[in-house]
Amino acid sequence: MAAYRSYLRDVVATKASAREDDFASALLEIHDEDPEALTHEEIGSILYSLTFAGHETTNFLIANLLRRLLEDPARWDSVVADPELVPGAILETLRYDPSVPVWRRVTKRPVTLGGVDIPQGAKLFLWLAASGRDASVFPEPEKFDLRRTNASKTLAFGKGIHYCIGAALGKLEAHIALETLIRRFPRLRLVEGQAFSFHPNISFRGPQALWVRAGPG
Ligand code: HEM
């Protein structure tokens, strides 16, 4: 990660004198107008954060979505038969198997949550994924239900002032991916017997590889 951060510093320095039609160059234009408003260091930081915030999250959402639909072929087949189920399948995946299961907060004042006293300045890892398994909100939370009507009532995209800025984009990308796959490969199946492995990272979750067959032969 340190090497990648340093690589991005070089990218910003290079593009500062050789603009192209890309996001880094657009950010550099803001820097030109007011160097204090957005420094080179901050531009590198935005590029760095977006690589993970905007890519890994959505990449894993698509993989989790495919995994959950294909692990029960009848589920996949029902989405193929009725593409109207696509948005619900995406929301249900974000509830049942979210790609950002854990996110961070720092307490600004002492607080008691769920009977636990937490001091000011505590660094918290919030188990966002647990919100999707709250039985008082979701009947039969362990059941993946394509037709659940309130699947969006989770913390899959966080909450409050830092709510995911890319939530609509991430869902749109997943929508396009699934709609394209059900059209192009309606008989898609998981390769049987594969064991999934995951990056050793608690914030972003999805299989490192997902092997599929395009059809029965
Ligand atoms: C679809 C999959 C995605 C999931 C599950 C996801 C999840 C999250 C979560 C849980 C947070 C923390 C919210 C909080 O602290 O309350 C977050 C923040 C953020 N996300 Fe996403 N995200 C996704 C896609 C994206 C995309 C596609 C982008 C940008 C292209 C993006 C950009 C961001 C940024 C910039 C923040 C920080 C917002 C802030 O701190 O004010 N995310 N996301």
Side-chain angles (χ1 to χ4, degrees):
M1 289 178 104
Y4 180 54
R5 189 75 180 75
S6 147
Y7 162 82
L8 289 172
R9 250 181 224 117
D10 293 345
V11 167
V12 175
T14 308
K15 290 198 186 269
S17 52
R19 301 295 160 90
E20 289 176 81
D21 181 16
D22 59 25
F23 185 53
S25 303
L27 293 174
L28 279 160
E29 277 175 37
I30 300 175
H31 171 81
D32 290 347
E33 281 171 27
D34 179 359
E36 291 299 307
L38 199 57
T39 64
H40 280 194
E41 189 62 16
E42 285 166 338
I43 293 174
S45 169
I46 290 173
L47 297 177
Y48 180 85
S49 311
L50 269 188
T51 314
F52 301 102
H55 176 71
E56 243 184 335
T57 53
T58 312
N59 169 14
F60 284 155
L61 167 61
I62 293 169
N64 293 340
L65 172 65
L66 285 185
R67 176 185 176 195
R68 296 310 174 182
L69 292 179
L70 291 171
E71 70 186 359
D72 177 358
R75 260 181 219 153
W76 176 262
D77 293 346
S78 46
V79 179
V80 170
D82 182 6
E84 301 267 306
L85 292 173
V86 167
I90 293 166
L91 292 177
E92 182 65 346
T93 302
L94 284 161
R95 180 194 73 80
Y96 184 85
D97 191 6
S99 49
V100 187
V102 172
W103 201 240
R104 302 177 290 240
R105 281 290 188 275
V106 177
T107 47
K108 291 171 81 175
R109 56 182 169 81
V111 63
T112 303
L113 288 176
V116 179
D117 293 330
I118 305 169
Q120 181 180 344
K123 292 176 182 164
L124 306 182
F125 278 113
L126 305 180
W127 198 258
L128 303 181
S131 67
R133 301 298 180 105
D134 182 345
S136 68
V137 180
F138 307 108
E140 295 188 83
E142 305 304 321
K143 190 174 152 201
F144 187 99
D145 181 357
L146 280 174
R147 293 175 177 79
R148 208 178 273 279
T149 51
N150 66 345
S152 66
K153 304 262 174 247
T154 69
L155 296 176
F157 292 106
K159 187 173 170 61
I161 194 169
H162 290 287
Y163 183 83
C164 176
I165 203 168
L169 176 62
K171 283 187 280 188
L172 177 64
E173 289 178 61
H175 192 116
I176 293 169
L178 181 55
E179 220 171 42
T180 307
L181 283 165
I182 57 174
R183 187 164 27 85
R184 301 263 320 264
F185 304 107
R187 294 191 295 171
L188 203 69
R189 290 291 181 256
L190 277 185
V191 169
E192 280 168 26
Q194 62 184 306
F196 296 109
S197 61
F198 297 83
H199 286 284
N201 173 327
I202 62 169
S203 288
F204 300 120
R205 188 172 187 279
Q208 285 178 303
L210 185 89
W211 291 96
V212 292
R213 280 188 291 122

